[in-house]
Amino acid sequence: MAIAGTTKRVTVQEITTKLNTLFQWGRKNKAKGQGIEPEGKGRAATVDYNVLGIARISPGEFPEKPPMLNGLSPNLMRQWRVLPLTIKDDEVVVAMANPGDLYLRGLLGGIYQKRVIPVLAEEEDILGTIYRWYEAEVDLEGDEADSEASLADELWEDPEQLRDLASEAPVIRLVNHVISQALEVKASDIHFEPYRDQLKIRFRIDGVLHDVETVSKKLQPAITSRIKLMGKMNIAEMRLPQDGRIKVKEGKNEIDIRVSSLPTLFGESIVLRLLNRDEIKLDLGTLGLSGDILGTFEELIAKPYGMILVTGPTGSGKTTTLYGVMNRINSPDKKIVTVEDPVEYQLDGINQIQIKPKIGLTFASALRTILRQDPDVILIGEIRDSETAEIAVQSALTGHLVFSTLHTNDAASAITRLQEMDVESYLLSSCILGVMAQRLVRKICPKCKTEVDIPAGLFEEILPGMGLDGMDKPARIWRGTGCPACANTGYSGRTGIYELLRVDEDIARSILSGADSGTILSIARSKGMRTLRQDGLKKVLDGETTLEEVMRVAS
């Protein structure tokens, strides 16, 4: 499936407006025959526009599909009798029923932030084309909730009818439109969440969920079935969770979409994870690692054997960090094998294994086979059980460099988590080279970044608790005031904050003696390790993020 469009960033509010007007223009406004009746009478052109150098355009010259241009809803197009046709870097061609209206041309220029090239078109042609572009969209508001719920119940009971409905143009265009808008705002996930009377659509942008649109309940069966068909999932199975995968193209970019369905009280919740191969940064130098942490980490990953762990909650960037490591150490003289669930990105020159528990291919069973493949480096997507932990440790002790992830709050807790999985302390003290904990924080939008005074008492109350009692109080910090480029959030993009625990002789002895995570952390901090909050504060003082963001993810 190909999704056409530009990568111009738009705000969530613009998306909401566009979807609202687009969804509301449907069957209840549908007219008989070709086109629709114009809202007003009479011809617009009584001026000789040839004299003014304004060309005339016929309906046959209009594009087949609307251009991906945000800022003007179909309702406003109908009201103003205008139709955007094509867009270039610095100009937009707009068909107008009255191109002599200089005020309207100036208004359009302000909306699009481009030079407007007007062309003359008949009012009826403009209105008819607006209808043709959006006529496939049905009315998602609905007037009778009870009848909609009844219709949805009937559809769920007839898989063949669902398949037919999901293959119709209105549903296809609707789902494609939502995916296109998510890609434009660089969303990482799309959530379709069912409730009693509605289906809610939300985008996760820079790690934070934003409400986008509320869709009528009667469209839920069709939307859900369309997505499941795209992901090669069973549309007749609605009682059990399912996973699928979709590949789409946006221009020259290839987008992988992971699909997850989960039965809930009011239908299946669908989540799409958008994975843009061309935008993922697999270079360790671009992930936000501070110079001293990056230097130490590079020393660890250059070791010939041992275990290195990356910890953090779901969505904290652990997999991206490990892919960056694989890219850094990948060379013709090394054989690298990964075991993942799922394989998110294909890496050239690396053998990647997709876990399939249904057929018995688990992390543990795959690892046993991997050791007979003579690998130099092994990447384990996640250590989930004691069997996997034991094999990983044994691999690290027998001459392999092993990387894996754990879900723990900080670096020191990874040691105790492995001990809880019945891995002996003497084995851990011998094989673990280091543990890095990480989180992702939103970066301040560079277009609206401004200096602000530190609130009274904030420095004295919070910063000393981060272990920086002796530092001088800074005069100012930075934050984003909010602008159209960042959807008025003040943030644009994300970076990482890190703490790196290097296991030296003193920490190895404490692990061997069965020390708890608090003791291990104290030893590491006495040797100069920065905690997550301390690294986050450094980025606050450097103007990369805000104190609120650091406290949100590393409180």
Side-chain angles (χ1 to χ4, degrees), residues 205-231:
I205 304 172
D206 291 338
V208 178
L209 276 172
H210 299 268
D211 288 340
V212 176
E213 185 53 53
T214 298
V215 179
S216 171
K217 189 73 173 178
K218 69 182 179 183
L219 268 295
Q220 180 184 331
I223 293 173
T224 301
S225 299
R226 173 59 188 166
I227 295 171
K228 291 171 73 174
L229 281 176
M230 294 167 66

Side-chain angles (χ1 to χ4, degrees), residues 509-534:
R509 279 194 294 268
S510 68
I511 295 173
L512 186 59
S513 65
D516 59 18
S517 60
T519 302
I520 296 172
L521 177 62
S522 297
I523 297 174
R525 291 185 64 176
S526 69
K527 292 177 173 291
M529 184 192 83
R530 262 200 320 272
T531 65
L532 282 169
R533 283 187 292 175
Q534 289 171 336

Side-chain angles (χ1 to χ4, degrees), residues 44 55-58 62 95-99 119-123 125-126:
R56 178 184 292 271
I57 188 171
S58 64
F62 291 161
M96 303 178 65
N98 183 14
V119 294
L120 174 64
E122 296 294 343
E123 183 177 285
D125 296 336
I126 290 175

